Amino acid sequence: MGEVVVVTSGKGGVGKTTAVANLGVGLATLGKKKVALVDTDIGLRNLDVVMGLENRIVYDLVDVVEGTCRLRQALIKDKRYEGLYLMPAAQTRDKNAVTPEQMRKLCADLRSEFDYVLIDCPAGIEQGFRNAVAGAQRAIVVTTPEVSAVRDADRIIGLMEADELDDIKLIVNRMRMHMVKRGDMMDLEDIREILSVPVIGVVPEDEVIVVSTNRGEPAILEGKARASQAYQNITRRLMGEEVPLMPLEARNGMVGALRRLIGLDKA
Amino acid sequence: MALLNRIFGRSESSGKVASERLRKVVVQDRANVSPQTMDQMRTQVLNKLAEYMEVDEKNSSITISANEGSVNLVANIPIRRMKRGKH
């Protein structure tokens, strides 16, 4: 029996879909797990393009729920990564096309075939959010070090706890250590203290994410990139390994300049 | 400019400002308790108090009021009689 993990945030644009794509590839490759990614953002699907699988969609989530096709027919096999599958959202329907009850059933069916089911949740706290969390046993909340994103994270953590979904972990995404250092960005401690939720990882702001999203190839396997390493660590923690949080200190001064010059660090 | 301001102690770092604003707004958000939860809390508080005193439940009110950065639980519970012995 696998686990269903919902990736959610409240606020849009903080990196939910990127997190789902990278953790999916991570679990399938580093963990050799059988993984299903489910896009529940009906009407505004995007996990397909982030994964580079947009040209292979035939059936979607709503087709499965309505019985137009069988479960397997809507699961796109990612040929690059053994064991990884994507179920896309419908693009021409709205969030009310699916109910929480139907999602619970779908998640139960997927759990029996996969080790991990990662649910990409839409932004907001309405029906789409309710659907996404309905069948989940665990939640990962993605936030960024901004007042608006952390505030929204707090709201949805409250809503999930009220729903008795209380295995909740936090990813702080797009951290810019040089800004934290000069006092112009909230640090991890501030955020951890306010939300009082365990942190499963911190992902530094990294251009490699933009480049990989352009290409439709998740960045997690891009060896040296800092964001890739962060996602590799989160993957391991998700599987229950104890991995210490990586030092996020941006290298400033002479050493940093030198490392950037010879290409060891990204500028 | 920000650096100059900091050197002369004129303003806090923006990261600190963000974290302080966030703390306040989160307290305010969390204080927006649903009527059901509020009711449940009220019943529980009154039940607990009943171990020590007899209160006028009908004329009791418990509310959460938020204004300008501070959030308070305001309870107005008339006591009819204190119980003996238990305290």
Side-chain angles (χ1 to χ4, degrees):
Chain A
M1 201 54 138
E3 286 187 90
V4 182
V5 185
V6 62
V7 178
T8 180
S9 69
K11 187 178 178 298
V14 297
K16 284 180 296 297
T17 304
T18 306
V20 168
N22 281 289
L23 296 178
V25 173
L27 289 167
T29 55
L30 307 175
K32 308 222 176 315
K33 303 288 183 190
K34 211 175 166 206
V35 186
L37 310 181
V38 182
D39 190 349
T40 61
D41 201 348
I42 299 169
L44 289 170
R45 74 174 170 213
N46 267 326
L47 185 53
D48 55 335
V49 287
V50 172
M51 291 295 299
L53 296 171
E54 68 273 21
N55 294 325
R56 297 193 39 216
I57 298 177
V58 181
Y59 294 110
D60 57 48
L61 173 71
V62 175
D63 292 322
V64 175
V65 161
E66 291 181 345
T68 314
C69 71
R70 279 173 294 118
L71 184 63
R72 278 163 184 277
Q73 290 177 291
L75 285 165
I76 302 167
K77 182 176 161 56
D78 191 325
K79 292 169 185 158
R80 299 162 297 181
Y81 314 105
E82 177 72 32
L84 185 62
Y85 293 78
L86 166 72
M87 181 177 293
Q91 184 70 324
T92 53
R93 303 288 294 272
D94 71 79
K95 266 125 203 164
N96 301 318
V98 178
T99 67
E101 199 41 61
Q102 289 169 323
M103 278 303 295
R104 269 190 284 274
K105 163 92 171 63
L106 177 74
C107 289
D109 291 347
L110 287 169
R111 265 181 96 184
S112 63
E113 287 193 42
F114 291 89
D115 300 316
Y116 285 94
V117 180
L118 302 188
I119 311 275
D120 188 12
C121 177
I125 53 171
E126 296 83 19
Q127 174 90 1
F129 165 75
R130 297 281 169 199
N131 287 339
V133 300
Q137 288 93 48
R138 300 170 68 181
I140 291 178
V141 171
V142 183
T143 190
T144 58
E146 292 158 282
V147 178
S148 52
V150 179
R151 179 198 201 178
D152 289 2
D154 186 71
R155 273 284 279 155
I156 54 149
I157 290 167
L159 292 172
M160 288 191 290
E161 283 175 347
D163 255 6
E164 275 152 24
L165 174 56
D166 37 29
D167 183 345
I168 302 173
K169 302 266 170 21
L170 187 71
I171 291 180
V172 180
N173 195 18
R174 311 188 69 173
M175 196 67 128
R176 295 184 225 182
M177 284 319 293
H178 61 283
M179 290 190 73
V180 174
K181 239 181 179 174
R182 65 164 198 254
D184 279 330
M185 183 168 268
M186 282 188 283
D187 67 16
L188 182 60
E189 268 328 297
D190 288 335
I191 298 167
R192 197 204 302 255
E193 200 188 309
I194 290 166
L195 295 179
S196 40
V197 160
V199 174
I200 196 172
V202 181
V203 184
E205 171 95 338
D206 194 332
E207 290 184 4
V208 77
I209 296 293
V210 179
V211 174
S212 71
T213 309
N214 288 344
R215 297 189 198 282
E217 295 162 359
I220 183 163
L221 302 177
E222 299 277 327
K224 279 176 292 194
R226 300 170 72 78
S228 312
Q229 282 174 13
Y231 274 119
Q232 289 172 21
N233 290 343
I234 297 171
T235 304
R236 297 206 171 90
R237 292 185 197 111
L238 195 58
M239 295 187 294
E241 261 180 67
E242 295 255 349
V243 185
L245 284 178
M246 68 182 195
L248 278 168
E249 294 290 295
R251 288 187 181 83
N252 287 332
M254 283 288 283
V255 178
L258 202 64
R259 284 182 69 96
R260 280 189 288 276
L261 195 68
I262 60 175
L264 278 174
D265 278 1
K266 290 218 159 132
Chain B
M1 197 59 200
L3 185 69
L4 279 180
N5 278 339
R6 216 167 308 146
I7 289 168
F8 294 107
R10 258 180 242 150
S11 80
E12 259 182 305
S13 73
S14 72
K16 271 283 148 278
V17 173
S19 122
E20 274 156 31
R21 290 176 58 221
L22 181 60
R23 264 168 229 275
K24 283 180 188 163
V25 78
V26 162
V27 171
Q28 298 227 359
D29 286 351
R30 288 187 194 171
N32 267 325
V33 185
S34 75
Q36 293 97 305
T37 311
M38 211 53 222
D39 235 38
Q40 196 186 346
M41 196 166 74
R42 182 173 172 277
T43 315
Q44 284 172 352
V45 167
L46 291 177
N47 284 346
K48 196 69 200 162
L49 286 177
E51 290 176 20
Y52 303 92
M53 61 195 80
E54 197 180 292
V55 299
D56 182 358
E57 286 198 23
K58 279 217 177 87
N59 292 311
S60 294
S61 74
I62 297 177
T63 54
I64 290 178
S65 76
N67 45 40
E68 289 187 36
S70 91
V71 181
N72 300 292
L73 180 80
V74 182
N76 196 337
I77 304 170
I79 302 172
R80 282 214 191 100
R81 194 161 62 88
M82 292 301 289
K83 285 188 180 170
R84 211 176 283 128
K86 243 201 142 175
H87 30 89

